[in-house]
Amino acid sequence: MDGAPGAPLPREFLDFLGENGLDPSIYAAGDCVPRYVRVKPGGESCLRELEGELACEPETVDWLPGFYSLPPRVQIAGTRAYREGKLYGIDAASGAAVSALSVSEGDHVLDLCAAPGAKLCMMLDALGDLGSVTGVDVSEHRLAACRTMLQKYAIGDRCRLFVADGTMFSVIPARVHSYKSCESMTNEEVQTFQEWTSRRPWKERKRAARARQSATSKPRLGFENPEIIFYGKHSGVIGLTKDDLYRTVSDNELLNCGYDKVLVDAECTHDGSIRHIQKFEQWGWETLQQRVLNAERTDNLTLLQLKLLINGFRLLKVGGTLVYSTCSLTVAQNEDVVERFIKENATAVLQEIDAAASWPCKSGRIPKTLRFDPSTSQTSGLFVAKFTKVSL
Ligand SMILES: C[S@@+](CC[C@H](N)C(=O)[O-])C[C@H]1O[C@@H](n2cnc3c(N)ncnc32)[C@H](O)[C@@H]1O
């Protein structure tokens, strides 16, 4: 298989699609899927300038407010609007997954697989002047990129970021801490979190370096202690003690004080992402075998996806909303995971995504779940399921 652009997909990948009941023709749209950008609320004036710089007109995405489509091969990184943090690249199907969560002012939101963070940025914009977003990712360097994004787009005020295993993460929402912190603040001896700065005091940097060193000698997955790597001014962290921040509550208490909204945008084989698949033309098709097609990896992934979904749901309050999404189109990583999850979680109920009536997607194998496929949606491939937690 040569690496020429537009080269046919390799036999192994076609076999993978066949085994998973996927029609290879959905990839035929690959070269025509537009590039999407989201303009930050209030930044729409940059569109005229963008049109001049890119010599093409950004087209409004009718079904998704704030989104614009551009020709597939346009590069936005050199534009002024991008450099000045007025827009960022995010696929429209990803935007739909966030939209399905219906984040509103005052919500306390958990993003359990947050990095590199385009969806997290979109959720922060929806928060307004109240609430918080807690971003979690197991990959420190990917989450550091997410922190850079928050700083670039100046939207991190109500956000906190934890390097942690999402299958075990247990930090409670910011509103629960703030109640407790009033009591703990009376003891001046207790060390509390100060305003976040990238320039940490020498002692703290030394401690973090020691922690990092010992972490590299242990496998990262399975670690139990989350590490906070960023918190904004109004994220509810300042003034807390470490004990307060990392205080856990029982599963029963979580029913009342859990997160209002949870996004589980789970790690997956990325086979629905046409741009991701195209990258293997440069990386070499043999790496596709290891990173996408390997059956053992897929089995481990489906287990990871289920565990992430179960833990995300555990941290959701009664009446709250959880969205599960992947950029794989295989049934094993989507409907099968959803089915197993519902079977084991009696309080989880699938919800209709009302806004989807105008979206260019199809129903998944399970009613109320959705599939965006590149050929019909003109977006990257994505699966979305929305749940609520009912009390029994
Ligand atoms: C599909 S990406 C998330 C994309 C992200 N939501 C966005 O919009 O930019 C999946 C992420 O899951 C993370 N991940 C993998 N295993 C994890 C785990 N056990 N806990 C938390 N995050 C995990 C990966 O590091 C990766 O960043």
Side-chain angles (χ1 to χ4, degrees):
M1 172 63 50
D2 69 51
L9 293 167
R11 168 63 32 211
E12 293 84 347
F13 188 59
L14 291 173
D15 290 346
F16 170 84
L17 297 179
E19 280 158 24
N20 285 285
L22 297 172
D23 179 354
S25 70
I26 59 172
Y27 293 91
D31 287 334
C32 322
V33 171
R35 187 166 286 277
Y36 292 94
V37 292
R38 177 170 184 272
V39 175
K40 273 184 62 185
E44 293 76 8
S45 58
C46 72
L47 286 166
R48 188 168 287 267
E49 189 182 76
L50 194 69
E51 183 178 340
E53 282 180 287
L54 297 176
C56 60
E57 190 183 348
E59 278 181 35
T60 306
V61 177
D62 294 333
W63 53 275
L64 203 59
F67 277 70
Y68 298 84
S69 69
L70 294 163
R73 269 174 277 278
V74 151
Q75 297 292 333
I76 58 164
T79 65
R80 193 156 118 181
Y82 177 79
R83 284 199 308 270
E84 291 180 352
K86 292 185 177 146
L87 57 79
Y88 50 85
I90 172 171
D91 191 79
S94 295
V98 174
S99 184
L101 203 54
S102 307
V103 173
S104 51
E105 183 152 1
D107 277 343
H108 291 275
V109 186
L110 173 64
D111 185 352
L112 213 47
C113 294
K119 296 187 191 74
L120 180 119
C121 287
M122 189 173 159
M123 293 193 285
L124 278 162
D125 274 337
L127 267 192
D129 293 331
L130 289 168
S132 68
V133 176
T134 299
V136 176
D137 204 282
V138 77
S139 161
E140 190 170 350
H141 77 272
R142 281 171 68 87
L143 203 63
C146 181
R147 177 177 61 199
T148 305
M149 249 184 122
L150 294 180
Q151 288 163 332
K152 174 178 173 186
Y153 293 101
I155 49 173
D157 247 18
R158 304 200 154 268
C159 186
R160 32 182 215 173
L161 297 180
F162 292 92
V163 179
D165 181 349
T167 66
M168 293 194 286
F169 186 73
S170 266
V171 177
I172 48 186
R175 66 159 176 265
V176 187
H177 299 300
S178 46
Y179 166 70
K180 187 83 190 336
S181 72
C182 298
E183 297 165 17
S184 50
M185 288 286 279
T186 52
N187 181 356
E188 282 174 16
E189 295 299 299
V190 179
Q191 269 213 338
T192 57
F193 284 95
Q194 304 299 301
E195 193 164 325
W196 190 85
T197 160
S198 49
R199 268 177 271 125
R200 320 297 296 166
W202 180 83
K203 263 191 183 168
E204 222 175 283
R205 273 188 282 140
K206 190 110 175 131
R207 230 188 352 254
R210 265 203 306 272
R212 264 199 305 276
Q213 210 165 17
S214 76
T216 49
S217 54
K218 294 179 208 136
R220 200 65 167 134
L221 260 182
F223 67 101
E224 282 175 37
N225 297 327
E227 182 193 346
I228 192 160
I229 66 156
F230 174 80
Y231 50 90
K233 251 189 211 150
H234 303 293
S235 63
V237 173
I238 297 171
L240 293 183
T241 65
K242 248 190 171 171
D243 282 353
D244 232 355
L245 178 66
Y246 293 113
R247 184 166 65 94
T248 53
V249 300
S250 71
D251 287 3
N252 255 349
E253 281 174 277
L254 275 170
L255 296 176
N256 292 319
C257 74
Y259 290 86
D260 302 294
K261 308 275 160 70
V262 175
L263 176 67
V264 180
D265 186 35
E267 177 73 348
C268 68
T269 46
H270 307 289
D271 53 83
S273 163
I274 196 71
R275 288 194 212 292
H276 188 77
I277 295 301
Q278 281 168 341
K279 284 182 194 161
F280 286 96
E281 285 178 358
Q282 288 133 40
W283 297 340
W285 290 115
E286 65 286 352
T287 55
L288 182 72
Q289 181 64 40
Q290 297 147 20
R291 289 163 70 175
V292 180
L293 313 178
N294 182 304
E296 195 183 333
R297 174 169 145 77
T298 309
D299 287 349
N300 291 340
L301 266 181
T302 55
L303 192 59
L304 172 65
Q305 288 154 349
L306 183 64
K307 284 183 175 174
L308 286 166
L309 184 48
I310 290 171
N311 196 38
F313 192 73
R314 184 180 72 85
L315 294 163
L316 185 71
K317 72 172 193 190
V318 168
T321 305
L322 181 147
V323 165
Y324 173 76
S325 58
T326 79
C327 61
S328 166
L329 290 175
T330 73
V331 169
Q333 295 173 69
N334 297 311
E335 284 91 340
D336 286 356
V337 172
V338 166
E339 243 159 29
R340 276 179 73 184
F341 169 67
I342 291 178
K343 213 165 154 190
E344 291 165 26
N345 292 270
T347 58
V349 175
L350 265 170
Q351 293 279 286
E352 200 80 59
I353 302 172
D354 296 331
S358 63
W359 295 351
C361 55
K362 296 176 179 165
S363 172
R365 198 191 63 198
I366 305 176
K368 298 181 184 167
T369 63
L370 300 177
R371 284 172 166 263
F372 287 82
D373 79 61
S375 64
T376 45
S377 307
Q378 291 291 293
T379 65
S380 194
L382 203 87
F383 172 87
V384 189
K386 176 175 170 175
F387 302 89
T388 190
K389 186 186 260 185
V390 295
S391 58
L392 281 183

